[in-house]
C-alpha cells in the first residue's frame, strides 16, 4: 500500500479536496478529488468537519485505509502564521480571526497537518509542478477577485516577518489614490485590477453609445471582446478596459521588478491568465524600455495551483515525521 | 603578524580606502584610511592605479608588509555582476560600461578581490556592523543624490537575477508620471526624493514671499529649517518640502513592505539619515494605519556603510582561500 496525502483549498464559496499518492510525480499524483459548497458556512469547526467528511469519502471510494493517509495541508484565503498554524485574518467572505486551523485539522484527522495562505500555496504549486519549475526566483501574481503575489526566492517561499509578504492589493501606483485604503476595505490596486473592480469600472463607463456589449459582464468576457476575432470587430469600450488593466498590471510588475529583479512572473487567477491581458501587459513593459524584461507566463496549473502547493506542503510534512 | 584586508569605496567624486585587521571585531577593525579625489578621472585602470598607490601608502605608513594583505573588495556606483566581477554600468559621473574591475584589482594586487554595487555593500555593512545587525530581514534605503535599496533576506544580500535588485529610483508612485523615465535619465522617484531633485524642487518653488531662506540650499539644510528650534520658527516652504519628501519616502517604504513584509528599514545617505525626514515619514506610515508598521532606523555607519560592506566581502574572500 503506497502512502497518501490530502490537500485542501478553502475558498470563499467552495471547498476543494484532493487525495494524492506520494510516490508518483507531482502532476500525476492526484488520484481523486471533490468540490463542495461552503456558502453560508463560516464556522471553522464546521469547515473542518466538512473537510473530514470529504476526505473520508475519497478514501472509502478508492478503498484506501485511513492509516495510509500520512499528512494533510490546507490553503486558507487569509494571512496565515505557518509557524503556529493559525489563520490570522481572512476576507469578509469567511470572516475568520485567529483560527487555529492546523490544530483543528490535526485533532480531526490525527495526522500531521500544515496550513498556509492560499496565494502563497499557489506560488509553491507553480514552483513545484507548474510554470515556475525551472526558475528558482519568480513571482506568482494571483489576479481574480483579489490581487496578491507569492514570492519564490532560491526555490523557497518568502513569507515575510508577519506572513504578509505579497499583499500587494494595496500597492500605491500612479493614477490611484495617494494614500492607502483603510484596513478592511479593498486596496486601490485590487479595486482597479481585480475582477470585481474591473466589472464595476465597466459598469460605470458603460453606455449604449460606447459599446454594443451587455452591461453585465465578467472581466474575462470583456477581455474576450477587446480584440477582433473572425466573428466580431474589437469593441472600443472593451479595448479601453483592457488597456487600463494592462497598465495597472504592467505598473505592478514594473515596481516588483525594480525591487526584486526576478526573471519571471507567473500569472494566475481568472483575470490574470487571460491571454489578451498578458499580451497587452508584456507589450507595455517592452514599450517602457526597461533594461531587463521579465518573462510573463500564464499559470499552467490554473485553479489547481493552490491544491498542488498544499500537496507539496503535505508531502514535506509527511516526510518530516 | 595578523592578517589584513582592504576596502575600497569608489564614488563619483571621491575614492575612499580602508585597511582593516581581520582578527578584530568589525567596528574596531579599521586601522587606517584615506580619501582622495577622483574628479576628472574616469579610466578604470587609472582608478585602480590610484587604489594601488593609496593602499600601498597605508601599508607602509603602518609598517605592514604587502604579504600580510590577504584580500581586497571594492564597491562601485553601478550595477555589478558579482559572479564575473564586472561593473556592467555606472551613472554618467564615471560612465563605465562592462569594466572587469575584479580582474583589474587582482592583476594589480595579486591577491583575491571582490566587487559589488556600493548600495548593496552599504546594506551588507549595516547587516554586519550597523543598524541591521539584529535583523535577518531588512531593507537599507540609500537616499543621497540617488535613491536605491539594498535587500537583506535571511541575513544574505538579495542581488537579483541580473544584479539589479533594489534599483528603486524608477519606482512608479502616485503623483509621479505614469510611465517610467527612459533609460539613462534619472527615475521619477530619484528626481523627486534624491538630494538633487529636492534641491531643484526647492528652487522651482522658491520666492521671497514664500520663504526667508536662501534659494541655494541643500536638501538637508532645508530639512533643518522645516521644524521650529530655539533660534527660529519653522519655515513654511521648508515644511512643505519636508512633507513632500516624507510622502515620497513613506510611499516607497509602504510599497516595499507590501511586497517583502520586512520588519525594518535602515535609512542611509545624506538625505535619508535626516531625523526630521525619518520622523515625518514614520508619522505618515502610522497615520495610514497599516497592519504592521516597519521600524525605521537611521544608518549607524553613515558614509562608512559601504566600506564596512566591502570589508565584509573582503573578509569572506580571504577566508575562502
Amino acid at each position: 500500500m503506497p502512502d497518501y496525502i490530502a490537500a485542501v483549498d478553502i475558498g470563499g464559496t467552495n471547498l476543494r479536496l484532493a487525495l494524492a499518492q506520494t510516490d508518483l510525480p507531482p502532476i500525476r499524483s492526484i488520484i481523486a478529488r471533490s468540490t463542495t459548497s461552503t456558502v453560508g458556512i463560516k464556522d471553522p469547526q464546521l469547515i473542518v468537519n466538512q473537510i473530514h467528511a470529504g476526505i473520508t469519502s475519497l478514501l472509502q471510494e478508492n478503498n484506501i485505509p485511513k492509516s495510509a493517509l500520512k499528512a494533510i495541508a490546507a490553503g486558507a484565503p487569509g494571512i496565515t502564521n505557518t509557524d503556529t498554524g493559525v489563520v490570522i485574518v481572512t476576507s469578509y467572505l469567511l470572516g475568520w480571526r485567529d483560527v487555529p486551523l492546523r490544530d483543528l485539522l490535526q485533532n480531526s484527522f490525527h495526522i500531521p497537518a500544515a496550513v498556509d495562505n492560499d496565494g502563497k500555496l499557489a506560488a509553491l504549486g507553480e514552483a513545484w509542478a507548474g510554470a515556475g519549475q525551472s526558475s528558482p526566483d519568480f513571482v506568482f501574481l494571483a489576479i481574480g477577485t483579489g490581487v496578491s503575489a507569492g514570492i519564490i526566492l532560491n526555490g523557497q517561499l518568502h513569507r515575510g516577518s508577519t506572513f504578509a509578504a505579497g499583499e500587494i492589493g494595496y500597492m500605491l501606483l500612479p493614477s490611484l489614490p495617494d494614500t492607502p485604503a483603510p484596513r478592511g476595505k479593498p486596496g486601490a490596486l485590487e479595486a482597479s485590477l481585480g475582477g470585481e473592480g474591473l466589472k464595476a469600472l465597466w459598469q460605470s463607463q458603460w453606455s449604449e453609445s460606447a459599446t454594443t456589449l451587455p452591461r453585465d459582464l465578467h472581466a474575462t468576457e470583456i477581455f474576450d471582446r477587446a480584440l477582433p476575432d473572425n466573428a466580431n470587430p474589437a469593441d472600443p469600450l472593451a479595448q479601453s478596459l483592457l488597456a487600463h488593466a494592462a497598465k495597472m498590471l504592467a505598473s505592478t510588475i514594473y515596481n516588483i521588478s525594480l525591487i526584486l529583479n526576478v526573471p519571471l512572473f507567473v500569472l494566475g487567477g481568472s483575470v490574470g491568465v487571460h491571454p489578451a491581458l498578458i499580451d497587452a501587459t508584456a507589450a507595455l513593459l517592452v514599450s517602457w524600455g526597461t533594461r531587463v524584461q521579465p518573462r510573463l507566463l500564464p499559470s499552467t496549473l490554473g485553479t489547481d495551483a493552490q491544491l498542488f502547493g498544499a500537496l507539496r506542503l503535505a508531502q514535506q510534512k509527511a516526510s518530516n515525521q
Side-chain angles (χ1 to χ4, degrees), chain A residues 127-263:
Chain A
W128 187 49
Q133 271 180 95
S134 55
S135 185
D137 290 8
F138 73 94
V139 171
F140 176 82
L141 292 177
I143 308 167
T145 307
V147 175
S148 71
I151 298 164
I152 304 282
L153 299 176
N154 299 316
Q156 304 288 319
L157 258 179
H158 173 74
R159 292 188 169 95
S161 66
T162 58
F163 305 95
E167 297 289 328
I168 58 167
Y170 292 80
M171 194 184 284
L172 300 169
L173 289 174
S175 84
L176 296 180
D178 65 354
T179 52
R183 266 191 252 183
K185 299 276 179 193
L189 176 62
E190 184 162 310
S192 183
L193 179 61
E196 292 302 310
L198 289 172
K199 208 167 150 177
L201 197 62
W202 171 262
Q203 291 181 352
S204 75
Q205 296 180 347
W206 188 93
S207 73
E208 285 189 0
S209 60
T211 177
T212 57
L213 301 176
R215 193 171 179 278
D216 192 23
L217 282 181
H218 287 289
T220 53
E221 293 170 320
I222 301 163
F223 291 167
D224 286 343
R225 298 298 302 278
L227 302 177
D229 59 30
N230 293 336
N232 303 289
D235 179 84
L237 191 62
Q239 273 184 316
S240 133
L241 196 89
L242 175 65
H244 161 83
K247 186 154 198 173
M248 286 294 129
L249 181 54
S251 305
T252 303
I253 290 173
Y254 185 84
N255 276 357
I256 298 175
S257 286
L258 288 179
I259 296 165
L260 289 177
N261 184 216
V262 291

Side-chain angles (χ1 to χ4, degrees), chain A residues 70-74 101-103 105-106 111-115 317 321:
Chain A
K70 299 303 181 189
I72 183 167
L101 183 61
R102 186 182 64 196
D103 288 352
L105 287 169
Q106 285 186 169
I111 55 174
V115 296
K317 203 79 191 170
Q321 303 304 315

Side-chain angles (χ1 to χ4, degrees), chain A residues 6-317:
Chain A
V8 183
D9 176 26
I10 304 171
T13 52
N14 280 312
L15 181 68
R16 304 194 318 129
L17 306 174
L19 191 63
Q21 203 174 315
T22 56
D23 62 351
L24 293 179
I27 211 70
R28 292 196 293 115
S29 65
I30 295 179
I31 59 152
R33 53 166 79 211
S34 68
T35 301
T36 51
S37 168
T38 55
V39 172
I41 308 174
K42 294 189 177 194
D43 182 78
Q45 184 62 57
L46 292 181
I47 300 267
V48 168
N49 293 350
Q50 196 175 342
I51 293 169
H52 190 267
I55 296 290
T56 303
S57 293
L58 290 181
L59 289 169
Q60 284 169 351
E61 286 157 24
N62 292 276
N63 297 314
I64 298 166
K66 269 196 163 179
S67 61
L69 188 67
K70 299 303 181 189
I72 183 167
I79 296 174
T80 300
N81 182 329
T82 54
D83 293 340
T84 60
V86 170
V87 181
I88 301 168
V89 59
T90 69
S91 80
Y92 69 96
L93 284 170
L94 276 173
W96 288 5
R97 291 287 179 282
D98 296 319
V99 169
L101 183 61
R102 186 182 64 196
D103 288 352
L104 292 177
L105 287 169
Q106 285 186 169
N107 292 342
S108 175
F109 283 88
H110 306 290
I111 55 174
V115 296
D116 204 341
N117 167 265
D118 55 1
K120 293 193 174 59
L121 285 186
L124 192 63
E126 293 288 345
W128 187 49
Q133 271 180 95
S134 55
S135 185
D137 290 8
F138 73 94
V139 171
F140 176 82
L141 292 177
I143 308 167
T145 307
V147 175
S148 71
I151 298 164
I152 304 282
L153 299 176
N154 299 316
Q156 304 288 319
L157 258 179
H158 173 74
R159 292 188 169 95
S161 66
T162 58
F163 305 95
E167 297 289 328
I168 58 167
Y170 292 80
M171 194 184 284
L172 300 169
L173 289 174
S175 84
L176 296 180
D178 65 354
T179 52
R183 266 191 252 183
K185 299 276 179 193
L189 176 62
E190 184 162 310
S192 183
L193 179 61
E196 292 302 310
L198 289 172
K199 208 167 150 177
L201 197 62
W202 171 262
Q203 291 181 352
S204 75
Q205 296 180 347
W206 188 93
S207 73
E208 285 189 0
S209 60
T211 177
T212 57
L213 301 176
R215 193 171 179 278
D216 192 23
L217 282 181
H218 287 289
T220 53
E221 293 170 320
I222 301 163
F223 291 167
D224 286 343
R225 298 298 302 278
L227 302 177
D229 59 30
N230 293 336
N232 303 289
D235 179 84
L237 191 62
Q239 273 184 316
S240 133
L241 196 89
L242 175 65
H244 161 83
K247 186 154 198 173
M248 286 294 129
L249 181 54
S251 305
T252 303
I253 290 173
Y254 185 84
N255 276 357
I256 298 175
S257 286
L258 288 179
I259 296 165
L260 289 177
N261 184 216
V262 291
L264 172 67
F265 285 77
V266 176
L267 294 160
S270 58
V271 175
V273 296
H274 201 285
L277 178 63
I278 296 179
D279 289 350
T281 303
L284 207 48
L285 286 167
V286 168
S287 80
W288 288 350
T290 51
R291 196 182 308 278
V292 184
Q293 293 294 330
R295 287 178 71 199
L296 309 189
L297 290 178
S299 153
T300 53
L301 302 175
T303 50
D304 280 349
Q306 287 97 306
L307 278 179
F308 275 99
L311 284 180
R312 175 65 173 151
L313 211 57
Q315 199 189 50
Q316 289 169 337
K317 203 79 191 170

